[in-house]
Amino acid sequence: MSTRKTSLTDKQAKNGTSKYSLERCASVNEYYDVAFKVMLLGDSSVGKTCVLVRFKDGAFLGGNFIATVGIDFRNKVVDIDNLKVKLQIWDTAGQERFRSVTHAYYRDAQALLLLYDITSKLSFDNIRAWLTEVHEYAQKDVVIMLLGNKADMAAERVVKTEDGERLAKEYGVPFMETSAKTGVNVELAFLAIGKELKHRATQQQNEPKFQIHDYIEAQKHKSGCCGHM
Ligand SMILES: Nc1nc2c(ncn2[C@@H]2O[C@H](COP(=O)(O)OP(=O)(O)OP(=O)(O)O)[C@@H](O)[C@H]2O)c(=O)[nH]1
C-alpha cells in the first residue's frame, strides 16, 4: 500500500500537536456493531483532511497547507439508533499524480463524500470529472454526498449555494455546505451517511426506506441553522 501515514501527522506537527498515533492505538479495540468504509474525494486543498480532523477531533487544522500523499485513514465510532457504527474514513490525496493509488480503494468504499471549495470555481467544475471516475471505479450502489466546503469564507465565495444544489440534484445526491473551520454541517454530513449505510445494512423488508434528503433537512431545521453556512 503506497500510503504515507505520516501525512496527517505532518499537518499536526505543523500545528504543534502529536496525539494522533496514540488515539489511533486507543481506538483499535473500540467496540462496534457494524463498520463501513467512507472515502473523501475532491481536488487538492478543498479541505478533505480538515473536514476529517474536524469530525474526528472537533479541531481545525489551520496554518500552512500540506498536501496529503497517497491515502490515509481515521476511524470514528458513532451511535446511530442505538447501534455502534464504526466509520472507517479514507482521506485521499487530491493531487492528480496520486490518482492511480486512490483508484484502487474506490471499490471497497460504501460511501463517498465528494468535496469542492466554494472559493474555487475550478474545484466545483471538476466535480463532474470526479463523478465520472466514481462511476468507473466505485461500487454501483455506493452512497454519494456532495459537500461545498469552506462555507465560512463568504467574502471569497465564487460558487453559489444554488449551483451546488443544482448539480447535486442533477446527479440525485444529497448536498450541503460545510466548514471545517467553524464545524458547520461536518458532523451532520458523516452522521447522515452513517445512518443511510446503517439502514441499508439492517433494514427489514416492511420497514419504510430511510430518506437521507429528509433527514438532512430535518436536522438543519432542528439546529436552527440555514444549513448553508
Ligand atoms: N477557511 C477555511 N479553510 C479551510 C477549510 N477547510 C480547509 N481549509 C484550509 O484549506 C487548506 C487545504 O486543506 P486540506 O484539508 O489540507 O485540503 P485537502 O483537500 O486534504 O488537500 P489534499 O491533501 O492535497 O487533497 C488548508 O490550508 C486548510 O487550513 C474551511 O472549511 N475553511
Side-chain angles (χ1 to χ4, degrees):
M1 183 166 78
S2 55
T3 67
R4 197 188 65 152
K5 289 197 175 140
T6 53
S7 57
L8 195 65
T9 315
D10 288 351
K11 293 187 185 193
Q12 291 261 311
K14 270 269 180 209
N15 286 277
T17 60
S18 59
K19 59 181 181 172
Y20 245 106
S21 51
L22 286 175
E23 277 193 1
R24 190 186 284 165
C25 292
S27 68
V28 163
N29 296 320
E30 194 170 356
Y31 171 79
Y32 61 90
D33 299 299
V34 59
F36 300 113
K37 292 196 177 82
V38 179
M39 231 175 145
L40 301 178
L41 294 173
D43 281 7
S44 181
S45 108
V46 296
K48 297 180 294 299
T49 300
C50 288
V51 162
L52 176 51
V53 170
R54 166 61 68 184
F55 176 60
K56 172 87 172 105
D57 290 345
F60 176 58
L61 283 181
N64 287 347
F65 163 55
I66 300 171
T68 300
V69 173
I71 193 158
D72 202 350
F73 82 93
R74 300 284 175 261
N75 293 329
K76 181 157 174 165
V77 178
V78 287
D79 279 310
I80 296 180
D81 306 336
N82 299 322
L83 214 64
K84 296 242 176 252
V85 175
K86 179 166 121 177
L87 298 177
Q88 186 179 91
I89 306 159
W90 295 87
D91 177 20
T92 64
Q95 288 178 13
E96 184 80 41
R97 64 197 169 107
F98 298 113
R99 223 37 74 75
S100 57
V101 177
T102 51
H103 284 165
Y105 291 86
Y106 274 67
R107 67 176 177 278
D108 289 331
Q110 284 131 323
L112 302 171
L113 290 180
L114 191 44
L115 278 79
Y116 67 89
D117 170 353
I118 66 146
T119 72
S120 160
K121 179 79 165 51
L122 183 63
S123 73
F124 179 69
D125 291 343
N126 282 339
I127 289 294
R128 286 181 192 279
W130 280 106
L131 283 161
T132 304
E133 282 204 4
V134 165
H135 289 126
E136 190 171 341
Y137 295 100
Q139 296 177 35
K140 292 278 166 284
D141 61 347
V142 70
V143 177
I144 302 171
M145 181 182 281
L146 180 65
L147 299 180
N149 191 42
K150 307 197 186 179
D152 57 285
M153 298 179 73
E156 287 91 352
R157 175 192 284 275
V158 294
V159 183
K160 290 187 200 134
T161 302
E162 305 84 74
D163 292 336
E165 285 172 340
R166 203 173 303 120
L167 184 66
K169 205 167 174 193
E170 184 185 327
Y171 284 89
V173 301
F175 166 75
M176 64 183 98
E177 288 190 344
T178 54
S179 167
K181 186 169 184 178
T182 66
V184 146
N185 284 340
V186 172
E187 184 154 283
L188 175 57
F190 284 100
L191 289 186
I193 286 288
K195 251 184 178 291
E196 170 76 24
L197 292 170
K198 180 250 159 193
H199 276 263
R200 284 187 183 200
T202 62
Q203 195 166 18
Q204 305 294 315
Q205 244 179 2
N206 49 3
E207 233 183 303
K209 196 174 173 297
F210 174 68
Q211 302 293 343
I212 191 166
H213 293 86
D214 296 350
Y215 172 75
I216 290 168
E217 287 315 309
Q219 294 305 308
K220 282 178 184 170
H221 284 121
K222 235 192 233 175
S223 70
C225 172
C226 51
H228 297 321
M229 259 306 297

